[in-house]
Amino acid sequence: MNRTAFVTGANKGIGFEIARQLGEAGWKVLLGARSVERGEAAASELRNEGLNAEFVQIDMTNQESIEQAAGSIQANYADLKLLINNAGMPGAFSSSFSATRETDLRNAFEVNFFGTFRLNQQLFPLIQKNEGTIVNVSTDMASLHFMQSSAYALNAFDYNASKTSNNAMTVAMAIECKDSNAQVFAVTPGFTKTDLNGNAEGGKSKADGAAIIVGYATDGKRHNGEFLDVNGVYAW
């Protein structure tokens, strides 16, 4: 049986490592990226490693692009079993609520929430039909519990709020899956060195962060409606 996965933001970073690890596990992987040049190069690199990878162009800030990508997948990859919404952007990664600019807040929401919302709405019916899985990649800082209780929380309101809203979307989608074999859940890889945080020191490698996401996405267990980190269920 064919297993096809679509990973957004897959031309670099955690997304590329997710695609590589899924390919190594025998999945056909569709790499979603805005840049045709970078997306094709990433897919080509995986094919050169002997993996089954193809590029799908998608701009998460553009509704028409999202609809075209979803339409192409529905027409050409009707066996889609896994969608990993990895694409994201930090806004300005503001230092506080007071320092947040509305422009940066809107930019963060455009990709992290609205773009993901549009893609989920387009592909949710196919995933449900195929009894598949949607993983919305999240962050520790989307957790209101973490933000209130941790001494090390970064109060980047633009980025954090967009991801908290994404968590709310995860719960809403999971409610619609509760009586089916399809599932939707969120995973935070934890502090990982990526371009989003300037590859800050102290974080885990991209491959290690991706392994947490891929592990939950492919373990065959029921995680519908959960928020997960490396240790298991994480507080919303």
Side-chain angles (χ1 to χ4, degrees):
M1 179 179 178
N2 291 329
R3 296 184 301 168
T4 300
F6 181 36
V7 183
T8 64
N11 64 293
K12 64 177 182 177
I14 289 181
F16 181 71
E17 291 298 331
I18 290 171
R20 170 182 277 144
Q21 291 175 26
L22 286 172
E24 290 173 343
W27 288 75
K28 180 183 184 68
V29 187
L30 310 178
L31 285 75
R34 178 174 56 184
S35 167
V36 174
E37 180 180 1
R38 293 175 181 176
E40 290 283 14
S44 178
E45 182 175 343
L46 294 186
R47 287 195 295 272
N48 289 339
E49 296 175 11
L51 307 181
N52 191 348
E54 296 183 21
F55 167 62
V56 175
Q57 198 278 333
I58 185 168
D59 181 347
M60 297 298 290
T61 67
N62 185 294
Q63 184 168 350
E64 182 178 355
S65 174
I66 292 170
E67 290 175 351
Q68 288 177 347
S72 175
I73 290 170
Q74 289 161 346
N76 300 305
Y77 309 100
D79 62 340
L80 184 73
K81 192 79 171 180
L82 175 62
L83 167 61
I84 298 184
N85 287 302
N86 167 75
M89 65 92 69
F93 218 62
S94 59
S95 60
S96 68
F97 169 80
S98 297
T100 301
R101 298 182 302 177
E102 182 174 333
T103 298
D104 296 323
L105 186 66
R106 289 182 180 276
N107 287 341
F109 265 82
E110 189 60 36
V111 173
N112 300 341
F113 181 74
F114 286 109
T116 305
F117 164 76
R118 293 168 185 141
L119 182 60
N120 276 334
Q121 278 214 325
Q122 292 286 321
L123 293 181
F124 194 27
L126 182 58
I127 291 290
Q128 288 176 303
K129 176 183 176 183
N130 291 341
E131 299 183 340
T133 296
I134 294 177
V135 178
N136 292 323
V137 177
S138 191
T139 171
D140 299 10
M141 296 181 297
S143 165
L144 300 182
H145 172 79
F146 175 81
M147 289 302 296
Q148 288 186 310
S149 61
S150 174
Y152 307 103
L154 298 176
N155 195 20
F157 180 67
D158 43 8
Y159 178 68
N160 298 0
S162 67
K163 285 295 194 175
T164 301
S165 295
N166 194 301
N167 277 3
M169 175 167 53
T170 301
V171 173
M173 296 174 72
I175 289 172
E176 293 189 31
C177 291
K178 65 181 180 179
D179 296 322
S180 75
N181 290 324
Q183 61 176 342
V184 182
F185 57 91
V187 179
T188 170
F191 179 30
T192 304
K193 292 186 289 186
T194 68
D195 288 352
L196 186 144
N197 57 32
N199 291 290
E201 291 301 319
K204 62 177 65 69
S205 70
K206 298 174 183 66
D208 287 344
I212 296 170
I213 298 165
V214 172
Y216 284 121
T218 62
D219 65 9
K221 298 180 181 178
R222 182 72 171 170
H223 296 297
N224 190 52
E226 294 180 344
F227 184 16
L228 301 157
D229 74 350
V230 65
N231 297 312
V233 175
Y234 197 69
W236 292 108

